[in-house]
Amino acid sequence: VITAEPADVCVVGMGAAGGTIAAELARRGLDVVAIESGPDHRSALPERDFHDDEVAHIVERRLLSNEPEAMVLSGRRLRDTPWLARNTGVGGPLVWSGFAYRFHPSDFRVASECGVPDGSSVADWPVSYDDLAPWYTRAEQLFGVDAGNPLPWGRSGALFADAARRCGLHPYRPPAAILQRDAGERLACNRCGQCTYYGCSRGAKASTLVTALRGVSLRVHAHCTAVEVCTDRGGMARAVRYLDVQGNAVEQPARTVVLAANAPYVARLLLLSRSRAHPHGAGNGSDQVGRHLTFHTGVMAWGVFDEVLDSVEGPQPHGGVDDYNESRPYRDGAAFRRGGVLHGGMPAAFTGGPLAFARALDVSIPLPDGVPRYGDGLLRFAAHAYLRHMAVYGLGEDLPRPDNRVVLDDTLRDRHGLPALRIEYTPHPDDVAQKQFLVARAEELLLSAGAHTVASDAPELPAGMFAGHAHGTTRMGTDPATSVADDSGRVHGVDNLFVAGAGLFVTSAGLNPALTIVALALRSVDAIAATAPRPGTPR
Amino acid sequence: MTAPPEPFTAVQRRTLEAVLAVILPSTSGPGAREAGAVDYVVDVLGKKPQAVTVEQLRQFLDAAQADPDAVLSGLEGDRAPAAQEMFVTLRALAWEGYLCDPGRLGNRDAVGWTRLGFEGPTKRRGHAVPPA
């Protein structure tokens, strides 16, 4: 084992949370070393690396990690494949659509709002909306959310909004971390439409590459995979062990360790970190690591219209309806406690580009009745529908269950020979009822908008899994018996070990998670910095 | 760098071209044949693994040689997982060869993009600020 020069703080994972924290700590003069399993996009040339090639991004998933994972859905083991969409490389979020929501105040106190449904582990967050509000403001400033200049309605969005109003709903333009005017080095969106699955060559769509990481000096070990948090006899973190690009084992000593990878992979790293002080894995003294995993429920309906629309042009946040979110349907008598948001005017493939659309037909985009699976009928339909369709996507709150979790698999191994992640997930009965409700509302909206052909899907698999929305697994809370970390991300009982990112979420909310991830990360910086004072200052 | 070895015989290649033309025919406009989709597919099979192996594809093409229409129709109706994997893979490859960036050998003269109404990646159009 090679031992590297000690650092003040070692951050594992350089996405939305890790990049934000590493940059803030470095600005405060701390010596930060980051370990990232993917490439270092800071040296990327936008025109070369964040181009528009659909084969690279849709077929080869160039910006996503491709480690196989085991998946057990409602007790049935599915095939091993990369189930989780997770960003890879320094500078995330890259593969995202730019939705930059604040959660609702009620999302932080679901147990107080509607009790703890049977079979769920619903709980209140240890932070309230008011606690997080100033950090939301800072996150919005960093990302340039709307920047006093909300997105204009496009044709698809306006069609959706008109239909929503006819249905008695309240449509809005979703908050987007996508610039509409040039700002410094970031150029305005040119409506290329290739947002999700792509980095933005113009920097219009926010990522830490064009925000927090600009002008910051950091030591980053890219293409290096963290495999263990090393602890001392007292159980405190002392180093991170990782495999470098040649496969050599390296120990990176640090005063403080921050785990900020994709949530399930933070849990996996804790579970891999077994020692005498932590026989069941670091932070896992009460068997909470990996549990309370949530995604988002997902449904979609899409329709084809007579006229040419602009759903395949960017930015992807075209229009939203929040009337069915939180507990509003429940109070009106629905059989589920928490609802979700509907996004309309969307491209059916969740991104623009003709190959993404056509290749998803009959795979993730259901074919309308009467359209054949191949041949002239399919080709004629695709040629007509590409510019003349829009989708309504529902993203619903996914109730946590203690046994929805990630564990180390018994047989599947990653490319380093370490136990791969196994996801165990059974939808809560509320989720099933909620999906049926949301997909019916989505169909109604499309018919009201004038679609002549509508098809829909309410899959058993939680669609959030394919959107990078994995939450929980290192839940935060005040009680070490029922949570892994406190509200700053500090792991209970390991004072110099922090987790960051969506793993801390207590419940999933029915909204996109990115802004909440960044706000929580910003909020945790003071607590992290306090454990790793600059050399020469008294501890 | 030497080119990867050709994965198919001349006959297999002609059968592959015919199969792709059954999936995306030229009945009512340019199809897989005009897009040169077979060039993309042969190129990509030599470069990266697919959900089905090249050997499985060779066997399929040998069986499909006499009547690609009938074999593809049988494949679509066969619920066996291996058959569906082959069907879905062939269809995905046909679309890729039809709609990929023309620099990747398929979508010749952008005939696929034109048919779907895609004007080409706007990211290459330079810096345009949209109307507020």
Side-chain angles (χ1 to χ4, degrees):
Chain A
V1 176
I2 304 159
T3 302
E5 282 291 302
D8 291 335
V9 182
C10 178
V11 177
V12 175
M14 282 293 280
T20 300
I21 290 168
E24 288 285 319
L25 294 173
R27 286 210 170 81
R28 295 183 186 198
L30 290 162
D31 179 28
V32 180
V33 170
I35 296 163
E36 164 58 49
S37 62
D40 189 350
H41 296 302
R42 292 180 306 170
S43 56
L45 296 171
E47 292 307 320
R48 185 195 68 199
D49 299 280
F50 297 147
H51 52 68
D52 38 58
D53 181 10
E54 293 196 84
V55 170
H57 290 88
I58 303 298
V59 180
E60 298 173 359
R61 293 161 46 102
R62 184 171 289 175
L63 293 173
L64 294 172
S65 177
N66 280 315
E67 285 285 352
E69 290 136 0
M71 175 80 205
V72 179
L73 176 66
S74 302
R76 288 174 292 126
R77 180 152 180 162
L78 309 182
R79 71 198 164 94
D80 301 334
T81 192
W83 287 100
L84 302 172
R86 52 190 182 103
N87 279 266
T88 173
V90 175
L94 288 166
V95 175
W96 74 308
S97 310
F99 288 94
Y101 279 107
R102 295 177 178 219
F103 285 176
H104 312 92
S106 85
D107 294 329
F108 298 88
R109 45 178 165 78
V110 177
S112 299
E113 286 277 316
C114 50
V116 181
D118 285 348
S120 84
S121 49
V122 160
D124 289 355
W125 291 41
V127 292
S128 69
Y129 176 84
D130 289 341
D131 292 331
L132 210 53
W135 306 102
Y136 271 138
T137 303
R138 273 198 62 197
E140 286 164 346
Q141 287 164 347
L142 263 175
F143 271 16
V145 178
D146 290 347
N149 188 13
L151 299 173
W153 290 100
R155 291 190 295 282
S156 307
L159 199 61
F160 170 75
D162 289 343
R165 283 187 205 100
R166 279 196 296 278
C167 294
L169 306 173
H170 304 86
Y172 58 90
R173 226 33 243 262
I178 298 171
L179 296 190
Q180 297 303 299
R181 297 221 177 101
D182 293 358
E185 293 174 335
R186 294 176 64 188
L187 301 180
C189 173
N190 68 348
R191 308 202 69 194
C192 79
Q194 288 169 257
C195 297
T196 318
Y197 305 107
Y198 298 83
C200 182
S201 66
R202 304 169 63 84
K205 182 178 76 173
S207 70
T208 52
L209 278 186
V210 294
T211 57
L213 294 174
R214 295 301 298 172
V216 166
S217 172
L218 285 174
R219 282 191 282 158
V220 178
H221 299 302
H223 298 293
C224 292
T225 305
V227 294
E228 184 184 348
V229 178
C230 307
T231 51
D232 62 21
R233 259 186 229 169
M236 295 299 113
R238 60 172 181 80
V240 172
R241 195 159 63 85
Y242 66 91
L243 303 176
D244 71 10
V245 67
Q246 283 94 26
N248 303 310
V250 182
E251 266 192 27
Q252 174 61 62
R255 292 162 184 265
T256 298
V257 171
V258 180
L259 306 182
N262 180 275
Y265 279 79
V266 171
R268 175 176 177 253
L269 187 51
L270 291 171
L271 294 173
L272 285 170
S273 302
R274 290 182 188 164
S275 61
R276 190 170 292 182
H278 303 286
H280 305 292
N284 198 29
S286 50
D287 186 27
Q288 292 296 297
V289 171
R291 294 189 181 275
H292 318 294
L293 167 70
T294 58
F295 296 105
H296 282 128
T297 65
V299 300
M300 74 90 76
W302 73 296
V304 184
F305 296 75
D306 290 327
E307 67 269 34
V308 168
L309 301 176
D310 60 359
S311 67
V312 294
E313 294 178 25
Q316 248 102 72
H318 286 267
V321 156
D322 208 40
D323 298 70
Y324 303 123
N325 213 334
E326 305 180 81
S327 294
R328 285 188 277 280
Y330 186 60
R331 285 197 288 270
D332 288 340
F336 54 91
R337 267 144 290 209
R338 300 295 286 177
V341 67
L342 294 176
H343 289 131
M346 302 281 293
F350 227 94
T351 191
L355 177 56
F357 172 75
R359 203 173 176 275
L361 289 172
D362 192 41
V363 181
S364 61
I365 307 176
L367 284 177
D369 289 343
V371 177
R373 297 173 73 203
Y374 69 94
D376 187 53
L378 175 68
L379 179 49
R380 272 191 293 127
F381 173 76
H384 175 78
Y386 175 61
L387 290 181
R388 293 173 185 81
H389 81 272
M390 73 152 133
V392 177
Y393 269 93
L395 180 161
E397 186 160 343
D398 170 14
L399 294 192
R401 300 175 66 252
D403 290 338
N404 283 356
R405 61 175 180 165
V406 295
V407 295
L408 304 177
D409 193 54
D410 307 325
T411 52
L412 186 65
R413 293 285 181 271
D414 72 4
R415 67 198 146 93
H416 303 295
L418 293 166
L421 198 71
R422 181 168 79 232
I423 303 155
E424 299 179 347
Y425 182 88
T426 301
H428 190 275
D430 269 42
D431 292 13
V432 179
Q434 176 221 56
K435 278 191 296 190
Q436 294 311 318
F437 176 91
L438 288 177
V439 79
R441 301 292 85 72
E443 289 170 359
E444 280 167 14
L445 282 163
L446 286 164
L447 291 170
S448 170
H452 58 69
T453 304
V454 172
S456 66
D457 192 20
E460 185 181 6
L461 279 167
M465 181 185 293
F466 309 112
H469 300 186
H471 330 98
T473 71
T474 54
R475 190 182 235 193
M476 61 177 166
T478 51
D479 183 356
T482 56
S483 61
V484 173
D486 71 12
D487 67 340
S488 68
R490 188 196 313 265
V491 172
H492 296 307
V494 191
D495 287 351
N496 65 343
L497 176 61
F498 289 79
V499 297
L504 295 169
F505 289 15
V506 178
T507 48
S508 76
L511 291 170
N512 309 60
L515 197 73
T516 304
I517 290 170
V518 175
L520 282 175
L522 289 167
R523 186 176 179 273
S524 69
V525 168
D526 279 344
I528 297 168
T531 64
R534 297 174 64 175
T537 56
R539 293 198 79 163
Chain B
M1 244 172 69
T2 53
E6 175 77 28
F8 302 123
T9 66
V11 172
Q12 286 167 337
R13 188 189 164 98
R14 274 200 300 280
T15 307
L16 176 61
E17 190 172 19
V19 166
L20 297 173
V22 172
I23 298 171
L24 300 177
S26 311
T27 317
S28 52
R33 210 176 279 279
E34 290 72 24
V38 69
D39 293 335
Y40 166 87
V41 175
V42 167
D43 181 59
V44 85
L45 288 174
K47 285 180 178 163
K48 62 171 190 270
Q50 304 289 320
V52 296
T53 64
V54 171
E55 185 49 41
Q56 287 169 318
L57 272 170
R58 285 192 196 109
Q59 287 171 13
F60 171 80
L61 293 173
D62 290 343
Q65 185 188 333
D67 192 347
D69 262 299
V71 170
L72 204 66
S73 172
L75 193 64
E76 189 209 3
D78 186 342
R79 305 313 300 173
Q84 283 305 300
E85 189 87 67
M86 178 66 79
F87 177 78
V88 168
T89 301
L90 286 169
R91 191 179 54 189
L93 288 169
W95 279 126
E96 290 167 33
Y98 191 64
L99 292 167
C100 67
D101 189 299
R104 288 186 179 264
L105 302 182
N107 190 17
R108 192 182 297 150
D109 300 327
V111 294
W113 283 357
T114 304
R115 181 116 192 242
L116 264 70
F118 181 62
E119 295 169 22
T122 37
K123 285 183 189 180
R124 291 182 190 149
R125 287 192 202 142
H127 173 197
V129 181

